[in-house]
Amino acid sequence: MTYAVNPAIHRIEAPPIMEAQGWLRHGLRNRKTLMLSQAVPSWRAAEDLNAEVARLAHEPGIDLYTDIFGLPALREAIARHFSEDYAGTVAAENVCVTQGCNQAFSAAMMAIATAGDNVIVPVPYFFNHTMWLGMLGIEARFIPAVAEGLSHPRPEDAAKLIDERTRAIVLCSPNNPTGAIYPPDVIASFFALARSRGIALVMDETYKDFREGEAPAHPLFAEPGWEESFIHLYSFSKAYAMTGYRIGAITASPRVLGEVEKILDCLAICPAHISQRAALFALTALEGWKKGKIAMMNGRLEALRQAFGRAGLRYELVSSGALFAYVRHPFTDETAKQVAIRLAGEHDLLCLPGSMFGPGQERYLRIAFANAEASDMETLVDRLLESQG
């Protein structure tokens, strides 16, 4: 007789990325496989960053813990960056450094909700968000974000689902998986709804640096008392090509961060000291480098949009932006997963089925194109045309 496992964890599906990678059949054809399942930048971290990390490895104290909330200098730099980027007011006491944005989301949710509570989540959603909610026994209540004539979620849909056990509304913009960038007035309307109902608006802005233009993504940090209704999540992984460094941030009220501190102390105490120093260097010395990579990604996005205009293509580009494209496939007799498996196994194109991102997504595929060059976009469409038979 063996010991039991936690049923709350057991009922959650296995990580989707790992499952999808098993669909590939390497070596069957003498051509490049397009790996478009995960938003991993194709570029390496800046050489200046690599040199700084090499220097830091020999610095006294770099092998020690930092404060649970992170290095004071990094918290101050993040607060300053957000204040400038959003034309608002963020203080260092509002910032907590985390091991990536997934940990930021997990700690934030654990701090404000418990089993039996509910959180409103637009569909399609980022699967790690709902995986974590399920592990905690928190109900995810779904509102549509992609439908006929709909490119972003609507506050009025969320308002209908709020009850006495609702603790938060979760938004992700630029969105994973669709790439959609929510308009500032839409985000402001969700904030006003959350504030009026005494719940939190939790916003994952991992991809904020890849938005279109340099205007603030939203006005929330300029709102007086934003801390009482808004929790902001960020990651250094994508814009700075620092996925393995695992540095993210929660920006919220000191009251909420006080609860987060207890959680993080039990999880990892603090992010790696050297990773925090690398993030500080990136934030203070690599602005020009980052803008160059963002311009490069904008070029890839434009190449993808142009490629999808090819005559005869029956896949529809429903939404695109940042590092993602959301595509409606043309096969009414196949599930999204069946199409994705066939694309991987027969056409050397790995992407994820919409069914991994929530109910009602069987007609969609997510293409994460950060790992593809602009010249690969025509090849992508070649493979899709090939799959049409």
Side-chain angles (χ1 to χ4, degrees):
M1 187 171 183
T2 187
Y3 54 83
V5 297
N6 185 340
I9 308 300
H10 182 68
R11 66 172 175 257
I12 304 298
E13 292 188 4
I17 298 291
M18 299 305 296
E19 178 187 352
Q21 289 175 351
W23 301 338
L24 289 169
R25 299 178 186 174
H26 293 291
L28 295 183
R29 287 163 289 273
N30 185 25
R31 64 181 183 181
K32 174 181 179 181
T33 298
L34 296 180
M35 303 289 287
L36 306 180
S37 65
Q38 192 172 21
V40 177
S42 63
W43 59 95
R44 292 194 61 201
E47 285 303 316
D48 287 349
L49 178 66
N50 296 336
E52 175 66 4
V53 170
R55 185 192 69 80
L56 288 169
H58 300 280
E59 185 175 284
I62 199 69
D63 49 356
L64 299 177
Y65 294 130
T66 70
D67 295 343
I68 296 172
F69 284 152
L71 290 166
L74 179 56
R75 296 174 66 199
E76 291 169 5
I78 292 171
R80 185 165 55 251
H81 169 70
F82 286 164
S83 295
E84 294 171 356
D85 199 30
Y86 293 92
T89 303
V90 179
E93 68 176 6
N94 296 123
V95 177
C96 171
V97 184
T98 62
Q99 287 191 307
C101 198
N102 268 7
Q103 190 189 70
F105 178 84
S106 300
M109 285 294 105
M110 190 178 287
I112 66 173
T114 190
D117 289 339
N118 67 77
V119 169
I120 296 172
V121 181
V123 177
Y125 49 65
F126 177 43
F127 44 72
N128 285 150
H129 288 172
T130 54
M131 286 172 70
W132 184 248
L133 294 176
M135 292 177 196
L136 295 179
I138 298 169
E139 176 192 1
R141 292 187 171 179
F142 301 135
I143 59 173
V146 169
E148 197 67 39
L150 186 65
S151 60
H152 55 74
R154 297 174 295 200
E156 56 266 33
D157 292 333
K160 297 173 185 177
L161 299 182
I162 296 173
D163 62 19
E164 69 280 357
R165 296 303 299 267
T166 305
R167 296 294 175 258
I169 301 168
V170 174
L171 297 182
C172 177
S173 178
N175 185 254
N176 178 5
T178 70
I181 298 173
Y182 299 159
D185 61 325
V186 170
I187 296 171
S189 295
F190 272 102
F191 173 78
L193 172 63
R195 173 178 273 180
S196 69
R197 304 296 288 271
I199 63 177
L201 175 62
V202 179
M203 194 159 179
D204 181 339
E205 292 197 82
T206 292
Y207 306 96
K208 77 172 184 64
D209 299 294
F210 297 95
R211 68 188 187 272
E212 297 172 356
E214 296 188 2
H218 55 72
L220 304 192
F221 282 128
E223 288 280 345
W226 63 262
E227 303 99 321
E228 295 309 312
S229 304
F230 184 43
I231 298 175
H232 179 275
L233 313 176
Y234 181 64
S235 171
F236 284 79
S237 291
K238 307 306 164 61
Y240 296 102
M242 294 175 61
T243 56
Y245 285 81
R246 308 312 305 137
I247 296 293
I250 303 173
T251 303
S253 69
R255 176 180 66 89
V256 169
L257 293 186
E259 307 306 317
V260 167
E261 182 180 31
K262 305 170 191 176
I263 298 164
L264 297 182
D265 188 43
C266 294
L267 289 177
I269 301 178
C270 64
H273 192 156
I274 196 167
S275 293
Q276 292 190 58
R277 290 289 297 276
L280 178 60
F281 180 84
L283 199 56
T284 56
L286 295 179
E287 184 66 17
W289 180 90
K290 180 181 75 171
K291 286 184 176 180
K293 299 307 180 185
I294 292 169
M296 180 181 71
M297 280 306 304
N298 287 340
R300 293 179 183 181
L301 175 60
E302 183 57 32
L304 178 138
R305 289 172 174 172
Q306 289 182 7
F308 266 83
R310 185 96 64 85
L313 183 66
R314 291 189 286 123
Y315 288 82
E316 178 189 352
L317 185 62
V318 174
S319 181
S320 61
L323 311 186
F324 303 103
Y326 210 53
V327 175
R328 192 195 315 271
H329 70 77
F331 308 106
T332 56
D333 58 344
E334 290 182 278
T335 66
K337 187 172 183 178
Q338 288 172 330
V339 174
I341 291 173
R342 183 162 60 84
L343 286 171
E346 300 178 16
H347 304 285
D348 305 297
L349 167 58
L350 185 64
C351 59
L352 297 186
S355 51
M356 288 181 170
F357 301 95
Q361 305 302 300
E362 288 292 355
R363 290 298 307 277
Y364 300 100
L365 303 169
R366 187 194 77 170
I367 294 172
F369 58 87
N371 201 32
E373 304 298 327
S375 58
D376 290 326
M377 303 311 173
E378 290 293 338
T379 304
L380 162 62
V381 171
D382 287 341
R383 305 279 172 86
L384 295 177
L385 284 166
E386 181 183 286
S387 74
Q388 292 177 184

